[in-house]
């Protein structure tokens, strides 16, 4: 995945930016994309699609000597800064400088004016090693930016399943050159979709890529209501490549099959994990998907270390592909695969027999050995969990409990339990009936 992360990080993207189109062209070589275009000035619920914005010149002089050139880095000028030219004192200049004293070499990503164009002013973003050498003096600013109408681009890729029910995956594309908070998350989802394309799936899977919040807001606005109604759940994924634990939030209401699938996948397929309440992760587009009138149950999954400080290089020029840890990317992909396999495999269990089955009989060969003080056995550490399951399992075979319900009750991995119960099905002892994700119908204003 690192090669693709490197390639996607080459693009200087934004909500509306010249290199958004080349980015989607590159992603289109991985997956067939359907494009959606939203013109600058388009507005909905107070959100606005901004103009295209460019920096033409960004010089800072102190006592006549150049001390900073904001065009040296994509992040050197706060996104959507207005033009400004003039003489300032240090006290007047200081509020227009953005830096991070904990990251000597970092240019910080000042992006708020993409979402609040009515508040736009101007700022330079500079490494702290430059900032600390500034101070009292006379400064001259020569900042020239330009705005022109453009288009916000959103894309989706879809893998058709046997059902028209849709499971959504979502990632942002508007963080220029950034890996962990950006294109590594996109890469993981691209690889997930490519894997899904090799399978016979029940659900239809859709990957939606676009600018943070704004992309999802306008994309959902224009979807037919019946299409949104077919979306049974979704996942926003980012920050997959750093050293933190995999952290998954609950859906807004909690208790959805997707919540249980994540809990099981993380407990049994992640080295370290955390399950946290709604919006206690990093926080992202799940609020858009779960908004009134849509209410698609959405989980956010990241490696966010703290809600307000996700990782040291967050929103900076130091968020590079070199920061990515390959095994962390692989683990995130595996967790997502396990979630999919759980959604695809969950089933209710209905017995076809009465009484107690002798599972150790060679005719069945379904007995799971458990510890015995008088017999030496080479058993897995979870043998007693499986043994206790067998004490209870037949009572669960009433058609009311799903495999995922049973796995969670006994703290067992779903994938292993599914394989085990399929052996019962092969013996004619049970009928497994697929358990489809559902969600309450959203309430739309007429």
């Amino acid at each position: 995945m690192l090669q693709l992360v490197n390639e996607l990080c080459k693009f200087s993207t934004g909500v509306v930016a010249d290199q958004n189109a080349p980015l989607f062209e590159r992603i289109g070589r991985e997956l067939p994309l359907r494009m959606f275009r939203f013109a600058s000035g388009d507005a909905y619920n107070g959100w606005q699609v901004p103009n295209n914005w460019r920096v033409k010149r960004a010089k800072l002089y102190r006592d006549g000597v150049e001390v900073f050139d904001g065009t040296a880095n994509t992040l050197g000028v706060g996104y959507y800064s207005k033009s400004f030219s003039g003489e300032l004192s240090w006290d007047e200049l200081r509020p227009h400088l953005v830096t991070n004293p904990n990251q000597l070499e970092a240019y910080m990503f000042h992006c708020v004016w993409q979402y609040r164009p009515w508040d736009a002013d101007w700022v330079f973003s500079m490494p702290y090693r430059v900032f600390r050498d500034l101070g009292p003096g006379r400064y001259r600013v020569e900042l020239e930016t330009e705005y022109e109408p453009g288009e916000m681009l959103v894309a989706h890729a879809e893998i058709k399943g046997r059902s028209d029910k849709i499971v959504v995956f979502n990632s942002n594309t508007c963080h220029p050159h950034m890996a962990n908070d950006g294109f590594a998350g996109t890469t993981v989802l691209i690889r997930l979709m490519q894997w899904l394309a090799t399978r016979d799936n029940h659900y239809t899977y859709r990957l939606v890529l676009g600018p943070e919040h704004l992309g999802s807001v306008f994309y959902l606005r224009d979807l037919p209501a019946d299409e949104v109604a077919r979306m049974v759940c979704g996942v926003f994924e980012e920050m997959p490549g750093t050293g933190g634990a995999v952290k998954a939030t609950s859906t807004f209401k909690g208790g959805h099959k997707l919540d249980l699938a994540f809990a099981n996948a993380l407990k049994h397929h992640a080295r370290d994990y955390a399950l946290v309440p709604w919006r206690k992760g990093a926080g992202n587009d799940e609020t858009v998907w779960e908004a009134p009138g849509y209410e698609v149950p959405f989980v956010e999954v990241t490696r966010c270390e703290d809600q307000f400080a996700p990782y040291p290089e967050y929103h900076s020029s130091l968020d590079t592909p070199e920061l990515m840890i390959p095994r962390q990317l692989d683990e995130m992909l595996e967790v997502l695969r396990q979630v999919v396999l759980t959604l695809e495999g969950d089933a209710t269990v209905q017995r076809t027999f009465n009484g107690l089955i002798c599972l150790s009989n060679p005719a069945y060969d379904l007995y799971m050995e458990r510890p015995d003080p008088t017999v030496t056995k080479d058993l897995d550490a979870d043998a007693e969990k499986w043994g206790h399951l067998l004490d209870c399992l037949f009572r669960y075979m009433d058609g009311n409990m799903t495999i995922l319900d049973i796995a969670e009750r006994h703290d067992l991995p779903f994938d292993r339990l599914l394989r085990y119960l399929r052996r019962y099905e092969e013996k004619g002892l049970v009928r497994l009936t697929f358990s489809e994700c559902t969600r309450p119908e959203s309430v739309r204003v007429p």
Side-chain angles (χ1 to χ4, degrees), residues 2 10 35 75 94 112 126 143 161 221 226 228 355 371 426:
L2 280 177
K10 293 177 181 177
M35 299 302 303
L75 308 184
R94 177 63 188 88
V112 67
M126 61 179 58
L143 174 58
R221 180 198 66 178
D226 64 337
V228 177
E426 291 167 4

Side-chain angles (χ1 to χ4, degrees), residues 139-427:
Y139 290 87
R140 177 162 185 80
V141 175
E142 296 178 3
L143 174 58
E144 182 185 356
T145 64
E146 64 177 10
Y147 301 79
E148 68 176 20
E151 291 181 318
M152 178 176 69
L153 302 182
V154 178
H156 82 216
E158 191 163 272
I159 307 297
K160 295 288 188 182
R162 297 186 302 277
S163 169
D164 66 354
K165 298 291 178 66
I166 301 168
V167 176
V168 180
F169 291 96
N170 184 208
S171 177
N172 294 156
T173 58
C174 56
H175 290 51
H177 308 303
M178 293 178 211
N180 202 43
D181 186 18
F183 295 119
T186 303
T187 294
V188 167
L189 294 183
I190 289 171
R191 293 293 183 250
L192 179 70
M193 293 292 284
Q194 291 170 333
W195 170 75
L196 283 164
T198 68
R199 291 175 36 83
D200 177 20
N201 303 303
H202 172 81
Y203 297 103
T204 291
Y205 290 88
R206 182 178 295 184
L207 172 60
V208 179
L209 302 173
E212 185 172 343
H213 275 63
L214 285 166
S216 299
V217 164
F218 286 90
Y219 173 80
L220 278 167
R221 180 198 66 178
D222 290 355
L223 286 185
D226 64 337
E227 189 171 338
V228 177
R230 291 190 285 110
M231 295 175 172
V232 291
C233 62
V235 178
F236 184 90
E237 178 266 338
E238 65 179 356
M239 305 181 193
T242 45
V246 184
K247 180 180 290 185
T249 71
S250 74
T251 59
F252 180 75
K253 290 186 175 180
H256 191 270
K257 189 184 292 288
L258 182 64
D259 293 301
L260 298 180
F262 262 101
N264 193 272
L266 290 174
K267 282 187 287 188
H268 300 290
H269 297 281
R271 288 179 292 272
D272 193 12
Y273 73 93
L275 294 166
V276 299
W278 162 257
R279 290 296 287 180
K280 294 297 184 179
N284 219 297
D285 284 27
E286 67 273 16
T287 54
V288 184
W289 295 92
E290 290 253 22
Y294 308 132
E295 297 148 35
V296 182
F298 240 74
V299 163
E300 182 208 35
V301 59
T302 68
R303 292 188 186 276
C304 171
E305 297 173 22
D306 179 89
Q307 186 174 6
F308 303 107
Y311 54 97
E313 299 82 5
Y314 174 70
H315 271 204
S316 82
S317 59
L318 302 183
D319 187 353
T320 65
E322 290 72 27
L323 195 65
M324 300 298 92
I325 303 169
R327 76 168 190 167
Q328 299 292 83
L329 298 176
D330 293 340
E331 181 183 61
M332 183 68 82
L333 179 57
E334 180 59 21
V335 165
L336 293 173
R337 283 176 177 158
Q338 290 298 329
V339 168
V340 166
L341 291 172
T342 301
L343 298 180
E344 289 284 329
D346 198 22
T348 56
V349 187
Q350 178 66 62
R351 62 181 169 80
T352 61
F353 61 89
N354 289 324
L356 187 67
I357 303 293
C358 181
L359 297 177
S360 62
N361 188 300
Y364 301 110
D365 191 26
L366 292 168
Y367 187 67
M368 304 284 279
E369 293 285 353
R370 64 197 305 178
D372 186 323
T374 65
V375 180
T376 301
K377 301 177 182 180
D378 183 17
L379 300 178
D380 292 336
D382 61 355
E384 178 52 33
K385 287 184 182 180
W386 287 94
H388 184 241
L389 170 72
L390 297 193
D391 294 336
C392 308
L393 185 58
F394 294 163
R395 290 296 300 273
Y396 299 151
M397 295 176 173
D398 60 1
N400 293 316
M401 288 188 71
T402 72
I403 300 172
L404 182 54
D405 293 332
I406 298 168
E408 283 300 279
R409 179 171 292 189
H410 286 266
D411 191 25
L412 294 170
F414 175 87
D415 54 333
R416 286 183 61 192
L417 182 56
L418 174 61
R419 290 194 297 271
Y420 180 59
L421 288 173
R422 281 177 175 167
R423 292 169 57 196
Y424 281 74
E425 188 178 42
E426 291 167 4
K427 299 290 184 180

Side-chain angles (χ1 to χ4, degrees), residues 81-92:
S81 287
K82 296 179 177 179
S83 295
F84 177 81
S85 178
E87 299 278 344
L88 299 173
S89 69
W90 170 245
D91 289 340
E92 293 169 324

